[in-house]
Amino acid sequence: MGTKEWREFGRTEVIENTLNPDFVRKFVLDYFFEEKQNLRFDVYNVDMRSCNLSKHDFLGQIFCTLGEIIGSPGGRLERTLSGIPGKKCGSIVFTAEELSNCRDIATMQFCANKLDKKDFFGKSDPFLVFYRSNEDGTFTICHKTEVIKNNLNPVWQSFTIPVRALCNGDYDRTVKVDVYDWDRDGSHDFIGEFTTSYRELSRGQSQFNVYEVSCVRRNKKKTVSDLVTLLSFKVESEHTFMFFRTCILAFHSIGNPSQPTSLHYMSPYQMNAYAMALKAVGEIIQDYDSDKLFPAYGFGAKLPPDGKISHGFPLNSNTENPNCVGIEGVLEAYFHTLRTVQLYGPTNFAPVINQVARCAAEVTDGSQYFVLLMITDGVISDMAQTKEAVVNAASLPMSLIIVGVGPAEFDAMEELDGDEVRVSSRGRFAERDIVQFVPFRDYIDRSGNQVLSMARLAKDVLAEIPDQLMSYMKSRGIEARPPQPATSDPTSDPTSTGTAKQNNTRP
C-alpha cells in the first residue's frame, strides 16, 4: 500500500513453440482478506538464455488483485492482456485454490517421564518449545507450553496450533522440540531435545510418538532415560471464508452537503470522509461478491416530494431493487442522494440493522454471509433498540462494521463493539461478537495521503470478518463448501478455457 514499486515474485517455466501454453508451476502466496493485494502479470516471448526480461519480447500484461482471483466464480479469473497499442494480446486465465492443510488446526497434548533434575534445591520446572524448520536449515519458534513447577514427570495442558504454523503445509518437515527447566531470571536450563514431524504426530498416541530426549547429564555421560510422550492428537478443519459474500451499506449524517463544514461536503478536489470510508472498505469486499451488486441505504433524511422522514431508504431511489453496481455505483448513488434529500435526525440504527437481519434470517444454510457497513457521524438515538437488534443479529450469518466520522464522541459505538464486554439487551447477551467499530479520525494520515488513510482503515475494520464468519459456521455445524464452478461462456475462444495460465510475472 502507498507505493508504486513492483517486486518480482516469480516466473513460470518456459513452454516452447505454442500460442496456448498450459503452465505447470504454481505460486503460493500469503493471503490477507483485509488487505488489497495488487498483482501484475507480464507475459514474454523467450528467444534466448537470459534472465534479463528486457532482452525478450513483451507480449502483454494485466493488473488485478489477489482478492479478485479468489473471489471469482470457481476461483477462476480470465482477463484480456494489454500493453501493446493497436494489438490484440490474447488472454490469460488464473485459478486459485486454498491449500487445505493451511486451514487445519491441530490439538495435541504431551507428558514427560524422568526428566533431568536441574535445580539443586528442588525438582525441575519443565516446559516445551516447538520450532518449525525453514528451507535454509534454520528453525523458527512456533509454540511454548506452560511451565509445570517442581515436577520431573509433567503432564502439559493440551494446546491448539495451526498446521501451517507447525510445518508450513509440509507434513514431513522437521519439527524440533526443546525441553527446558524454567528459571525466574530467564536463564532457562536446557534439558534436551527431540525431533518429529507433523506426519508422525498425526499417528496419535502410539509407540512411534514416544521420544527419547537427547541430552547430557552433569556427569557428562549421554542418557536416553528422559522420555516425552504424545498423549493425544486431533486435527480439525476451520471453515473457509472465501466463498461467502454479500455486502450492504448504509450512511447517515445531518448538515448541508453544499457547505464546507458538512462531513458530506462534495469538494471538487478530494473525497469526503464518507466516500473515503466507503471506497476503502468496499473496494476490498467487492472482490468477494460475484455479481458486484450492493444494496445501499441512507438512514435519517426527509425524502421528496412530501418530506417524509425515513431511517432506511435506498440510495438509488428504487425501493424494489436497492442494488448499486459496484462500489463506484454506490458512490454515484450516494452523491446523487445528497443533492435530492434533506439530511435529518435522529440517528436511529435499529431499523437498518433489523432490515438486514431479516434478509440474513432467510439464508442460514451457510451459502451467504451478510456484512453491513454503517458510516455515521452521530450518537445513537435508539440505543436500547439498537442493542436488542445487535443481540438478535448475532445469531444470524451477519457482521456489522460501524465507521464513525467527524469529531463526535463515540462512547455508544464502543459499547456496541463488545470487545471488552459482550453487548446485551434485557438480560440476554449476544451469541457472538459481530460488531467492529472504528473512528475514522484515528486512521487519517497526517500528511494528507488519502490512499494511506483508506488502507489503514480497511485493514483494521475488516480484520475480524473472517473469524466472525467462521464462528457462525462452526456454531451451526456448517461445513465449508467448495466454490461453485465458473460457468463457461460458449462464445469464448475454446483454446483459452479450462487451464490456469500463470505467466512470467512481476507482481
Side-chain angles (χ1 to χ4, degrees):
M1 294 291 186
T3 178
K4 294 183 179 180
E5 295 183 2
W6 292 95
R7 178 179 61 84
E8 182 172 322
F9 183 82
R11 303 182 184 185
T12 67
E13 75 279 14
V14 175
I15 299 180
E16 297 182 353
N17 301 320
T18 180
L19 298 179
N20 300 288
D22 294 339
F23 295 104
V24 174
R25 183 179 176 188
K26 297 179 175 64
F27 299 94
V28 179
L29 288 82
D30 291 326
Y31 168 62
F32 303 100
F33 170 78
E34 68 274 16
E35 296 182 14
K36 189 172 184 179
Q37 295 172 266
N38 294 308
L39 303 176
R40 184 179 114 200
F41 295 84
D42 292 352
V43 186
Y44 289 88
N45 176 39
V46 175
D47 288 325
M48 62 182 70
R49 293 181 178 274
S50 174
C51 293
N52 188 345
L53 293 176
S54 65
K55 296 184 181 296
H56 305 297
D57 298 324
F58 176 70
L59 299 180
Q61 67 182 187
I62 70 106
F63 298 83
C64 66
T65 67
L66 184 57
E68 284 182 283
I69 300 175
I70 291 173
S72 297
R76 180 184 185 276
L77 177 68
E78 181 172 357
R79 285 287 178 84
T80 300
L81 292 163
S82 62
I84 303 178
K87 183 178 179 180
K88 292 184 177 180
C89 301
S91 63
I92 183 172
V93 180
F94 309 96
T95 58
E97 63 179 354
E98 188 178 28
L99 297 180
S100 60
N101 53 24
C102 289
R103 300 301 304 175
D104 288 350
I105 305 294
T107 301
M108 61 190 84
Q109 184 179 23
F110 289 85
C111 70
N113 183 252
K114 297 181 180 179
L115 290 179
D116 189 12
K117 181 177 178 296
K118 292 291 186 181
D119 297 333
F120 287 103
F121 302 103
K123 299 177 181 178
S124 295
D125 306 319
F127 66 97
L128 304 177
V129 182
F130 291 75
Y131 301 86
R132 178 187 71 244
S133 62
N134 303 314
E135 296 288 349
D136 60 0
T138 60
F139 288 89
T140 299
I141 186 171
C142 57
H143 182 74
K144 285 183 182 180
T145 67
E146 78 281 10
V147 176
I148 303 294
K149 291 292 188 70
N150 199 33
N151 195 328
L152 300 182
N153 301 289
V155 178
W156 290 279
Q157 295 177 10
S158 63
F159 64 90
T160 298
I161 184 172
V163 171
R164 184 173 186 175
L166 191 66
C167 66
N168 203 29
D170 181 356
Y171 289 172
D172 296 307
R173 181 172 295 198
T174 298
V175 175
K176 183 168 76 77
V177 184
D178 286 351
V179 187
Y180 284 96
D181 169 35
W182 178 84
D183 284 327
R184 187 180 300 276
D185 62 3
S187 59
H188 311 307
D189 297 317
F190 179 71
I191 294 177
E193 67 177 21
F194 63 92
T195 60
T196 182
S197 68
Y198 175 83
R199 192 177 301 279
E200 288 185 8
L201 292 171
S202 64
R203 296 179 178 181
Q205 187 179 31
S206 67
Q207 70 270 24
F208 300 104
N209 283 316
V210 178
Y211 299 98
E212 298 176 343
V213 177
S214 175
C215 58
V216 177
R217 293 277 172 92
R218 293 191 187 90
N219 60 11
K220 305 299 182 182
K221 292 181 180 179
K222 192 172 182 179
T223 180
V224 292
S225 62
D226 302 43
L227 297 176
V228 173
T229 301
L230 176 67
L231 290 178
S232 64
F233 181 94
K234 68 176 181 178
V235 63
E236 295 178 306
S237 295
E238 285 285 358
H239 299 289
T240 176
F241 56 84
M242 292 166 68
F243 311 112
F244 306 101
R245 46 201 180 249
T246 292
C247 179
I248 300 174
L249 310 119
F251 305 82
H252 171 79
S253 177
I254 58 176
N256 188 343
S258 64
Q259 298 296 320
T261 54
S262 171
L263 292 168
H264 285 290
Y265 178 58
M266 293 182 287
S267 168
Y269 305 108
Q270 63 181 11
M271 292 184 291
N272 63 38
Y274 282 82
M276 288 174 62
L278 167 65
K279 194 174 180 68
V281 178
E283 283 194 342
I284 292 179
I285 289 182
Q286 74 174 351
D287 287 344
Y288 306 91
D289 193 300
S290 57
D291 61 14
K292 303 294 186 288
L293 297 177
F294 300 100
Y297 300 91
F299 58 107
K302 289 184 176 180
L303 306 183
D306 55 2
K308 182 180 180 180
I309 297 175
S310 174
H311 296 289
F313 59 93
L315 291 186
N316 65 2
S317 303
N318 188 340
T319 56
E320 299 298 323
N321 182 10
N323 289 323
C324 299
V325 180
I327 296 305
E328 291 303 321
V330 177
L331 282 169
E332 183 180 341
Y334 161 64
F335 288 123
H336 174 73
T337 298
L338 292 180
R339 300 184 185 97
T340 57
V341 306
Q342 180 186 351
L343 302 175
Y344 203 77
T347 309
N348 291 343
F349 275 40
V352 172
I353 297 174
N354 288 331
Q355 186 171 346
V356 178
R358 286 191 291 271
C359 297
E362 296 177 357
V363 193
T364 58
D365 62 351
S367 61
Q368 292 189 57
Y369 192 84
F370 294 76
V371 178
L372 171 59
L373 168 63
M374 302 183 72
I375 308 174
T376 180
D377 73 337
V379 296
I380 302 175
S381 304
D382 61 340
M383 187 61 177
Q385 293 87 341
T386 296
K387 289 167 67 174
E388 183 172 3
V390 170
V391 171
N392 292 334
S395 63
L396 299 171
M398 175 178 167
S399 287
L400 172 59
I401 297 171
I402 304 174
V403 178
V405 296
E409 294 297 326
F410 296 113
D411 293 346
M413 313 294 186
E414 299 284 0
E415 183 179 351
L416 290 178
D417 192 281
D419 284 340
E420 300 297 331
V421 179
R422 187 70 59 85
V423 63
S424 64
S425 173
R426 295 190 288 187
R428 188 164 58 100
F429 285 87
E431 180 181 318
R432 299 180 298 126
D433 176 13
I434 65 167
V435 180
Q436 171 74 337
F437 166 74
V438 296
F440 193 16
R441 61 187 176 224
D442 292 353
Y443 299 86
I444 295 177
D445 181 63
R446 293 181 179 178
S447 68
N449 186 329
Q450 288 193 343
V451 174
L452 188 57
S453 299
M454 291 190 294
R456 290 171 175 169
L457 175 71
K459 185 173 182 179
D460 230 28
V461 299
L462 292 174
E464 294 184 9
I465 296 297
D467 286 340
Q468 290 175 358
L469 183 151
M470 289 188 288
S471 71
Y472 172 81
M473 301 299 172
K474 193 169 184 177
S475 69
R476 297 300 184 272
I478 299 173
E479 295 295 330
R481 301 178 179 184
Q484 294 297 317
T487 56
S488 59
D489 182 0
T491 64
S492 64
D493 181 354
T495 62
S496 64
T497 60
T499 303
K501 298 182 176 66
Q502 293 174 308
N503 294 273
N504 291 346
T505 64
R506 194 182 289 171

